[in-house]
Amino acid sequence: MNKVSENQPTDFIREQVQTDLDKGKYQKIITRFPPEPNGFLHIGHVKSICLNFGVAEEFGGECHLRFDDTNPAKEDQIFIDAIKRDVEWLGFEWGEKVYFASDNFNQLYSYAETLVGEGLAYVDDLSSEEIRDYRGTLTEPGKDSPFRNRAVEENLDLLRRMKSGEFKDGARVLRAKIDMKAGNINLRDPVIYRISSISHPRTGTLWKIYPTYDFAHGQTDAIEGITHSLCTLEFEDHRPLYDWFIKNLPVPAKPKQYEFSRLNLENTVLSKRRLNLLVEKQLVSGWDDPRMPTVSGLRRRGVPAFAIRDFISRLSIGKSEGIVESAMLDHCVRDYLNKFAERRMAVLRPLKIVIKNYPKNKTEEIDALNHPGDESKGRRKLPFSREIYVERDDFMESPPKKFYRLGPGREVRLRFAYLVTCEEIIKNEMGDVVELRCSYDPESKGGNTPDGRKVRGTIQWVSALHAIPAEVRLYEPLFENSADVNKDDFIDRINSKSLQIITDCLLEPSLSKASCAEPVQFERIGYFCRDEDSSENNPIFNRTVSLRDSWDKKYK
Ligand code: ATP
Ligand code: MG
């Protein structure tokens, strides 16, 4: 795969891995990326993906793709498929096997019986509200449940009956017996199994009880032989519990958990729960709405996988939380597309031009370069004729001096074609300019000035006879600029102008064959990518990113 950087700067995780290998603690490292299949992946997950897969690759180890599918209430095969597609598209390989926490349900259950047998777990009949009340707070210790001291045999009997489906959902739970007075609330007898009659995407109705995240995660790491279990900082307080299970169970390996700071992106929600709400309330068209910070949304908008990886590689892997400017992602996208996207002609708000001295029935082919800095991308032919369209904004009736585009009597270069001079303005009854009559200089083919006269402005155009109509969708951030998207009222902060649809745009004919996977630059406008909703008669293009780069100016 295309590496974003040969010299990945080191970080505390890579240093730890290096030390463990140097000391011979492991011959080979194994990491894992463990998404819960309850939503699509977002760009925050990509930080974890790049770290887990990246570290494994750099140190000659392997990285498992593991679905943490222990909560059937929210999980779905649709999400499993979407996650696999996204990881693959980002350019990572997980080998022959996809891992599932549910592969280990038998083993995990047997670990639960082990804990019960050792007097380290008990069945609790308290309701979930009571359990919460008994748990105490950060400043107050918890209280023991009245069921805490059940005999081993009774616990075992109840656990087996929970497993066989004898009790209704929520009637009982299995809890680890640790310490209700522990300073760390996670150690106050955490729930490790709950009853649920919901069908599981992979095991169906076989299981009536499901392990919690905390119980499943570390043990699954151990079963898979994970050496370094990398997760985000919110799990730091769970580490003592992770270690407690590993210490008290006959697991085949002793993985270690390391935490790094999550990615937070300015004006963007990076939480599956919140993204799911946007989808459910139909505030976006789906998980892959091009305004979503999901991998599928970014892909649909035309953001290349490489640019996402490049962006991620510029982030530090550390312990301090910060908010990254979204302009930095845009910068990486422009950086890539500027080098690789072919140039095309498009006019979003067309203004007609009739070239009075150009022969009426003539069409000629204009030779155009596909990329100004890369001859290897070749050339194409653009049809040119007497009637063309240009961008409405490229004309002003009373232009200021420094407006180097069209105005009464002004001469401009039509990109790759000819020089034209505006001679007449046609208006409708309302006084709007609807057409310009120009003359062209037949000696200026290719855009040259035969006598060396200076023509500063160059504008794009399409031939009226040959252009194809299209719909163009422009995107702005989904949330208002100043919005604190981490508050619960984030839904009220949606930017009502985040999607602007322009119909009746005109594109050069070659764009009828554009691919959804290859963004192009519409000259002088921005980078665009064909949307998969396009039909033959109605091509749709998404603006991936505009040409302007505020981040670049600010930081270079
Ligand atoms: P979300 O909060 O979006 O629901 P999650 O942590 O609940 O995310 P998981 O599917 O459990 O979602 O996450 C899989 C992995 O991705 C975890 O190891 C998690 O730490 C990591 N991850 C999730 N969000 C981010 C983020 N913003 N930055 C870095 N890593 C993340
Ligand atoms: Mg989670």
Side-chain angles (χ1 to χ4, degrees), residues 366-533:
I366 301 287
D367 184 49
L369 207 53
N370 286 332
H371 193 290
D374 185 357
E375 281 278 354
S376 74
K377 292 207 177 290
R379 298 172 165 271
R380 67 192 187 286
K381 299 286 183 208
L382 294 171
F384 186 86
S385 57
R386 181 178 154 93
E387 294 188 2
I388 60 169
Y389 283 96
V390 299
E391 201 65 62
R392 184 161 285 275
D393 282 353
D394 283 333
F395 167 78
M396 276 181 92
E397 201 172 350
S398 326
K401 204 156 179 272
K402 290 203 165 159
F403 184 81
Y404 299 116
R405 293 171 266 165
L406 283 168
R410 296 207 181 182
E411 188 172 38
V412 78
R413 178 180 297 100
L414 297 175
R415 179 93 164 127
F416 300 123
Y418 291 102
L419 302 175
V420 291
T421 304
C422 173
E423 294 186 344
E424 219 180 306
I425 301 166
I426 314 286
K427 296 183 178 177
N428 63 13
E429 294 119 49
M430 271 107 74
D432 304 323
V433 176
V434 291
E435 186 182 311
L436 304 177
R437 301 268 160 93
C438 295
S439 64
Y440 87 116
D441 177 352
E443 301 298 310
S444 66
K445 189 161 183 185
N448 306 312
T449 45
D451 53 3
R453 68 182 183 273
K454 209 167 182 177
V455 176
R456 291 178 78 154
T458 300
I459 64 175
Q460 84 277 19
W461 53 274
V462 292
S463 160
L465 208 58
H466 307 90
I468 51 170
E471 173 180 322
V472 164
R473 298 178 180 169
L474 304 181
Y475 302 100
E476 295 292 334
L478 191 51
F479 294 95
E480 287 162 16
N481 236 354
S482 56
D484 182 349
V485 290
N486 290 314
K487 292 217 176 106
D488 271 339
D489 65 350
F490 75 102
I491 290 248
D492 304 332
R493 314 266 169 217
I494 287 198
N495 174 6
S496 57
K497 300 195 185 71
S498 59
L499 166 63
Q500 192 193 346
I501 296 179
I502 314 180
T503 51
D504 303 321
C505 303
L506 292 172
L507 314 178
E508 67 164 80
S510 74
L511 283 167
S512 64
K513 294 191 286 291
S515 132
C516 294
E518 270 178 57
V520 291
Q521 185 192 97
F522 288 178
E523 294 222 18
R524 299 180 62 238
I525 307 176
Y527 296 97
F528 289 80
C529 186
R530 186 183 170 97
D531 188 87
E532 60 208 31
D533 277 355

Side-chain angles (χ1 to χ4, degrees), residues 113-278:
E113 285 208 355
T114 304
L115 286 182
V116 170
E118 305 269 329
L120 292 174
Y122 60 98
V123 173
D124 198 345
D125 302 356
L126 291 183
S127 67
S128 55
E129 296 79 53
E130 287 167 323
I131 289 181
R132 202 175 316 128
D133 289 345
Y134 274 65
R135 190 175 290 134
T137 63
L138 283 174
T139 50
E140 271 173 61
K143 280 191 306 193
D144 286 1
S145 160
F147 303 97
R148 195 173 197 263
N149 291 317
R150 275 179 161 147
V152 166
E153 287 67 34
E154 189 187 353
N155 280 320
L156 211 48
D157 173 59
L158 285 170
L159 176 59
R160 288 177 181 163
R161 286 162 61 195
M162 280 168 65
K163 178 175 180 260
S164 67
E166 194 176 320
F167 311 120
K168 47 181 206 318
D169 290 11
R172 294 192 156 90
V173 291
L174 182 70
R175 299 177 70 175
K177 191 170 178 177
I178 309 180
D179 179 3
M180 287 308 291
K181 296 186 176 55
N184 182 337
I185 292 183
N186 294 300
L187 295 176
R188 294 183 190 168
D189 292 9
V191 173
I192 58 179
Y193 262 94
R194 45 199 151 63
I195 302 172
S196 171
S197 52
I198 295 174
S199 170
H200 184 281
R202 300 189 75 241
T203 59
T205 52
L206 184 65
W207 289 88
K208 316 292 178 200
I209 56 172
Y210 292 95
T212 55
Y213 170 87
D214 279 323
F215 189 65
H217 200 86
Q219 280 62 266
T220 306
D221 283 344
I223 294 165
E224 290 182 16
I226 302 300
T227 54
H228 299 78
S229 180
L230 313 177
C231 60
T232 37
L233 279 175
E234 66 270 24
F235 295 104
E236 196 167 23
D237 290 344
H238 294 240
R239 182 165 14 107
L241 180 56
Y242 184 103
D243 292 341
W244 188 90
F245 288 129
I246 296 295
K247 188 180 87 198
N248 286 290
L249 286 168
V251 286
K254 304 222 176 287
K256 284 265 176 219
Q257 175 182 302
Y258 300 92
E259 310 86 15
F260 62 96
S261 59
R262 58 192 291 121
L263 165 64
N264 299 304
L265 202 55
E266 176 195 49
N267 295 333
T268 310
V269 288
L270 291 184
S271 134
K272 276 186 288 188
R273 191 176 61 80
R274 293 203 159 140
L275 295 173
N276 190 27
L277 211 61
L278 296 173

Side-chain angles (χ1 to χ4, degrees), residues 527-554:
Y527 296 97
F528 289 80
C529 186
R530 186 183 170 97
D531 188 87
E532 60 208 31
D533 277 355
S534 300
S535 62
E536 206 173 322
N537 298 327
N538 185 35
I540 301 171
F541 280 80
N542 295 316
R543 181 170 68 192
T544 311
V545 68
S546 63
L547 288 181
R548 168 185 44 89
D549 192 339
S550 54
W551 194 82
D552 206 22
K553 285 196 195 97
K554 207 158 138 192

Side-chain angles (χ1 to χ4, degrees), residues 100-116:
F100 290 86
S102 58
D103 292 340
N104 308 309
F105 276 173
N106 275 321
Q107 179 64 69
L108 291 169
Y109 175 75
S110 135
Y111 286 151
E113 285 208 355
T114 304
L115 286 182
V116 170

